[in-house]
Structure formats: structure tokens, C-alpha cells
Amino acid sequence: MTTQDGRPQRRASRAARLDAFGGPDGLRVREIPAPEAGPGRIRVRVAAAGLNPMDWYMLTDADTAARFGLTLPAGFGTDYAGVVDQVGDGVHGYAVGDRVFGGALSRAVADHVVVDATGTAADEAHPTPDGVADRVAATLTIAGRTAAAAIAAVAPTAGDSVLIGGAAGGVGVFAVQLARIAGARVIGTGSASSAEHLRALGAEPVEYGDGLADRVRRLAPNGVTAAIDLHGEATVHAARDLGVPDARICTIATALDGITAANGATTTPDTLREIAEHVAAGRLTVPIAATFPLEDVRAAAELQAGRHVKGKIVIDL
């Protein structure tokens, strides 16, 4: 289609937009021109977008947003899955109609995203394996990368007992199962109400809070050999009390002297491909806690911001 002056007409695209830093009440669904795939890039018609706690963290205030290169008006969400519908010049390995998933930093909750065909974390695409639904593929990028980085930092193997703090959350879903795939025993902290959820993932549940180290000792009298804190630093302190050396403890949300802070941005593209293959083979499952249509993105964001969801939240587009 063309305009009256002969120029190509750009198709409209819906997108979640934030016009002011702060909470979910600032989110709106806007109609914008569909982005175009330039050289080396592909455009994806998004089918589903997964939410993560970092989606809000990046947009809490201007200073934090600037650290991620974001300005207002800002998009929302990073994880996506869908189908390639436009291929830019010089792109090899992708064609219109290919199913893909990946990351599009703070712009995934939209009808269309444009990403680098050979990019890395948060500007990337990967083939979606057969048997992996778009809703599931849309949850893999941020949480999967972060969990894989944490697992790599402590390198569990058969014979290890790994204590994972915050195991019931979005990253915990992956960390628990990746540690189990590596052959380790997993003890996961969570609320009393998350016990069955943790057992379903393959972890032995233990309630967080004061006295954590003593509860872990009763559950694992032979001790634990590694620990991952996915929430703060309480699990780090418990692990130290239990005699775990600092070299086998890591965090993702707190920086502590002597402790490795895992960062999903340091993982390789192969990391996500391997996680997707685990899903396709049935070795790893992703609980979808809730799904929302794009029009209800604010409600979805409010649920995610509560940080008590067991599994992942997905926006359907």
C-alpha cells in the first residue's frame, strides 16, 4: 500500500508505552507505525511476550532508565516469541515465516519488534524448536540467561547439594531445573504456600526467613556444597553459616564482597538454544502462572510487580 504521494504506507502496530517513570498505572497501549527491518535486522510479528521483574526496575526513574539507554516515551517488556515477517538486507539464516524467540530490550510488548539477526542479549533472535509453544518460548530469554549464568558460577555436578534462595520465582524455575539436569540435589527456599510448586520443579522446599540455616541443616545433615541467592542476601548468609565457600556462592540481585554476581548478559547465544532444546525434549518445563491480552498489560504488570507469582506471566498479542 502507498500514500497519495507515492510513498510506502507503514502498517500500524500496537505497543505498550510508558509516558512517565514509576508504577504500572503509567502504562498505555498505543497505536504506532510498525517498525521496519533495516540491514542486518529482522522484524518479528510478536505472538507472546513474557514479563520479568527487571522490566519495571529499568523504568522506575530517569537515572535507572538511563543506565539501560532508555528514555521516555518507553516501551515495555523484553522477552518475546513470534514469527519473522520482514527480513532486512544482508540477513542470512532467517526467512519470512520462521518461528523465533529472543529479547528486545524494553519493547517486546508490541505487535512488532525489530531485532539484530546476529545480536546478543536483549537484541536477538533464535529459532524456536518444534514442540515449544510461543507462550513458553516467550519466557526463556531473561530468566533463562540469568539462571544459566548463576548455574555456571557455582558449576553444580552429581553429588552436589545446592541451596537456591527465591527458588519459586521466575528465575528460580530455570535455576532449579538446570541444577537438577546437572545432577545436583536442590533445596529451594520459598514461602510455605510455594512448597508444592517447588517439589514439582524438582526441589526440596524449605521456608525462608529467620532460622533458615538451621532448617537446611535438618533437611540436609550432610551439608550443602553450593548456593545461589536469587532474591537478596539472606541465602548467602545462611550458606556461609553452613560452611559453603564463597567461591561456590553467587547472587543475581546483590553485590557482596567475595561473592560472584551472576549476569545473564555474559552468556552466549548457545545458552538460550540449549535451554530451548531442554524444553523441547521435556527435560525442563516452564509454569505459566497467568496470561493476559495486550489490552490488560497494566494488570499483568501489577501482578508481576507484586513479586509473588509462582511461574511466569505472559502477554498474548
Side-chain angles (χ1 to χ4, degrees):
M1 299 177 65
T2 60
T3 62
Q4 289 183 344
D5 61 5
R7 293 177 301 169
Q9 182 174 331
R10 299 182 71 183
R11 182 167 32 160
S13 181
R14 300 171 302 160
R17 284 288 184 268
L18 193 69
D19 296 321
F21 296 118
D25 58 343
L27 269 178
R28 301 287 187 275
V29 177
R30 308 289 192 196
E31 190 169 281
I32 63 173
E36 300 291 325
R41 301 178 72 79
I42 59 174
R43 188 175 72 186
V44 179
R45 176 59 174 94
V46 177
L51 300 189
N52 297 278
M54 72 166 285
D55 295 328
W56 271 120
Y57 173 74
M58 292 188 300
L59 297 170
T60 52
D61 56 65
D63 290 340
T64 303
R67 287 169 46 199
F68 293 93
L70 302 176
T71 58
L72 294 175
F76 183 63
T78 296
D79 291 6
Y80 74 87
V83 177
V84 176
D85 78 343
Q86 193 178 83
V87 176
D89 292 341
V91 170
H92 302 284
Y94 290 103
V96 170
D98 287 349
R99 296 180 64 230
V100 294
F101 75 99
L105 184 65
S106 200
R107 60 185 195 278
V109 183
D111 283 332
H112 300 88
V113 295
V114 171
V115 294
D116 189 334
T118 59
T120 55
D123 187 22
E124 60 185 318
H126 305 279
T128 303
D130 291 341
V132 179
D134 287 330
R135 280 180 174 173
V136 174
T139 70
L140 303 182
T141 300
I142 295 298
R145 279 188 179 278
T146 304
I151 291 296
V154 302
T157 60
D160 274 317
S161 292
V162 184
L163 175 63
I164 299 181
V171 177
V173 164
F174 294 90
V176 167
Q177 294 180 86
L178 290 174
R180 294 287 293 133
I181 289 169
R185 175 189 185 187
V186 176
I187 298 170
T189 80
S191 65
S193 64
S194 68
E196 288 307 313
H197 172 69
L198 289 172
R199 289 190 183 98
L201 295 175
E204 299 170 53
V206 60
E207 194 166 353
Y208 57 67
D210 294 342
L212 174 60
D214 290 336
R215 289 191 292 278
V216 174
R217 283 191 185 96
R218 290 193 291 271
L219 189 60
N222 293 327
V224 295
T225 54
I228 299 170
D229 198 321
L230 301 175
H231 183 71
E233 56 186 63
T235 302
V236 174
H237 299 313
R240 283 171 161 170
D241 288 347
L242 293 163
V244 180
D246 283 1
R248 299 211 71 197
I249 303 174
C250 83
T251 63
I252 68 167
T254 304
L256 294 172
D257 288 344
I259 303 296
T260 298
N263 185 340
T266 64
T267 59
T268 70
D270 286 341
T271 299
L272 281 183
R273 287 193 279 269
E274 290 169 2
I275 289 173
E277 290 299 336
H278 283 316
V279 174
R283 293 184 292 267
L284 192 155
T285 62
V286 184
I288 306 298
T291 61
F292 293 81
L294 176 59
E295 293 75 17
D296 292 339
V297 62
R298 190 186 306 174
E302 288 171 346
L303 181 60
Q304 177 69 67
R307 301 296 294 273
H308 294 296
V309 177
K310 298 176 182 67
K312 301 291 290 182
I313 296 172
V314 176
I315 306 293
D316 290 328
L317 291 108

